[in-house]
Amino acid sequence: MSQMTTSPQFVSMRDVFGDKLLELSKRDPRVFALDGDLANSTKLDKVAENNESKFLQMGIAEQNMLGVAAGLASVGLQPWVCSFAAFIVKRAFDQIVVSIAQPKMNVKMIGAYSGLLNGCTGKTHQSLEDLAIMRTQPGMIVLAPADSVELQQMMEYANQYDGPVYIRVARDSYPVLFDEQSYRFQVGKGVTLASGTDVTIISTGTQTSRCLEAVEQLKQEGISAELLHLPSVKPLDAEAIIASARKTGVVVTAEEHSIYGGLSSAVAEVLVENFPVPMERIGVQDKNSESGSNNALLNKFGLTAEHVAEKARKVMARKKMAQ
């Protein structure tokens, strides 16, 4: 049975996150939701309104919030800490390192409003470095779902895993790519969403749906593109990356994140040590982000399906020149 849905619809990850965490908070006595005064945006308000005893309001004090989470975990509870990715990762990183990552505390961290597309809340609220920052921590699980189905399964995994987990969640609605009956998320494993022989496109998180569009565009041109979705940024499916690179001979990476330190860097590390091939990177280049509408930002920073297809053609041309 195919893992992908045949009739995609658009669903908000943050709404599904709020519903799922409410379910977990009712089902698992260990689970508590910690909020940094953003519950109406992150949808932690669903826990606040429907399971008030499991909701802890920490205020606009992210460093303290992560410290409290570590304390809760130290007595056997399982805190789920949620804020904008820009705040939870960058403002509280020292607390994450010292109080959570090093002692491997059972804390689940949700970076909401990740990437570029955050509803014009401003560039100070954007996070293009969170994957890079979090994957530097030993023992940290770093996940980026492509859709709401995958997010729910990641949350189930995180609820059963004993240790720190970071999940990157988007604000807007995205296409539902996976069939909830047949798809099964596995940490450390990639998912081949399209098989091809000419070029490999490797993506994570929200960028995967745009890469699927690029695959279809390339198909119309007679180009056979393979799409490997990596929901688990750490641990990474090195075996799948190498196998696909061997198959096509060229790789394009794509992420709604800086090109430094995130998915592209992780993939490059695998390839340079095991099977070097021509590679192009889709992501925010060495530039500061800007405020704007979704479409304007995607075009400005080269993240559209058209930009992915363009990079695929470019890397294929490099392969041809090298032959």
Side-chain angles (χ1 to χ4, degrees):
M1 181 184 293
S2 172
Q3 298 184 90
M4 298 184 68
T5 182
T6 56
S7 54
Q9 56 181 321
F10 283 73
V11 174
S12 168
M13 280 191 197
R14 61 176 178 162
D15 283 334
V16 168
F17 163 73
D19 290 334
K20 187 65 177 180
L21 190 56
L22 173 60
E23 175 197 326
L24 292 175
S25 74
K26 289 183 175 181
R27 189 206 318 161
D28 190 334
R30 302 172 304 154
V31 170
F32 282 79
L34 276 64
D35 174 47
D37 200 28
L38 287 168
N40 62 332
S41 296
T42 63
K43 300 307 176 183
L44 278 185
D45 56 0
K46 297 186 179 187
V47 180
E49 294 167 4
N50 298 285
N51 197 9
E52 186 178 2
S53 65
K54 290 298 197 76
F55 177 82
L56 302 177
Q57 178 56 262
M58 297 287 101
I60 307 175
E62 291 83 7
Q63 293 172 332
N64 178 65
M65 180 166 62
L66 271 297
V68 169
L72 293 171
S74 73
V75 295
L77 299 176
Q78 184 172 272
W80 287 68
V81 187
C82 185
S83 184
F84 289 7
F87 304 154
I88 192 172
V89 173
K90 292 187 282 187
R91 289 186 181 174
F93 187 55
D94 187 54
Q95 283 69 29
I96 291 172
V97 172
V98 176
S99 300
I100 295 173
Q102 289 183 7
K104 202 176 181 182
M105 287 296 183
N106 190 27
V107 177
K108 315 309 171 186
M109 292 157 281
I110 308 298
Y113 278 57
S114 63
L116 276 174
L117 311 185
N118 56 22
C120 297
T121 50
K123 61 187 294 183
T124 57
H125 290 51
Q126 294 166 336
S127 178
L128 302 173
E129 315 89 353
D130 55 317
L131 297 178
I133 292 170
M134 294 301 269
R135 81 180 188 94
T136 64
Q137 294 309 296
M140 182 72 69
I141 304 294
V142 182
L143 309 175
D147 72 355
S148 57
V149 171
E150 192 165 58
L151 171 61
Q152 291 181 77
Q153 294 193 16
M154 284 180 177
M155 292 177 71
E156 285 287 353
Y157 161 78
N159 193 57
Q160 297 169 18
Y161 175 76
D162 184 14
V165 177
Y166 176 71
I167 304 178
R168 189 181 215 238
V169 178
R171 174 190 184 275
D172 290 350
S173 297
Y174 279 84
V176 176
L177 305 180
F178 297 109
D179 177 78
E180 62 182 346
Q181 301 302 320
S182 59
Y183 179 68
R184 293 294 177 268
F185 164 76
Q186 296 181 63
V187 69
K189 293 296 182 181
V191 185
T192 301
L193 298 183
S195 295
T197 55
D198 294 330
V199 58
T200 294
I201 300 172
I202 302 177
S203 63
T204 193
T206 54
Q207 189 64 23
T208 292
S209 57
R210 293 186 279 271
C211 288
L212 268 175
E213 294 179 37
V215 168
E216 289 303 312
Q217 290 182 18
L218 293 166
K219 185 177 180 180
Q220 299 303 315
E221 303 170 23
I223 297 173
S224 175
E226 180 150 293
L227 177 57
L228 176 62
H229 168 57
L230 296 179
S232 179
V233 178
K234 184 183 180 184
L236 197 67
D237 193 344
E239 183 178 331
I241 293 168
I242 296 165
S244 189
R246 286 185 185 279
K247 182 179 178 182
T248 67
V250 285
V251 169
V252 174
T253 58
E255 59 195 312
E256 194 182 318
H257 184 275
S258 169
I259 59 168
Y260 298 118
L263 177 75
S264 64
S265 293
V267 170
E269 290 159 14
V270 169
L271 292 176
V272 76
E273 292 179 354
N274 296 278
F275 191 73
V277 296
M279 177 174 161
E280 294 284 339
R281 296 176 292 168
I282 291 280
V284 176
Q285 305 295 314
D286 194 16
K287 300 177 181 178
N288 289 316
S289 60
E290 298 181 22
S291 303
S293 67
N294 287 356
N295 288 337
L297 290 169
L298 290 173
N299 277 296
K300 170 84 175 184
F301 292 99
L303 299 175
T304 66
E306 289 74 17
H307 285 98
V308 176
E310 180 182 343
K311 286 285 190 180
R313 298 185 202 101
K314 181 178 179 181
V315 79
M316 287 175 61
R318 288 175 56 191
K319 176 173 67 171
K320 187 174 182 180
M321 289 177 62
Q323 290 174 343

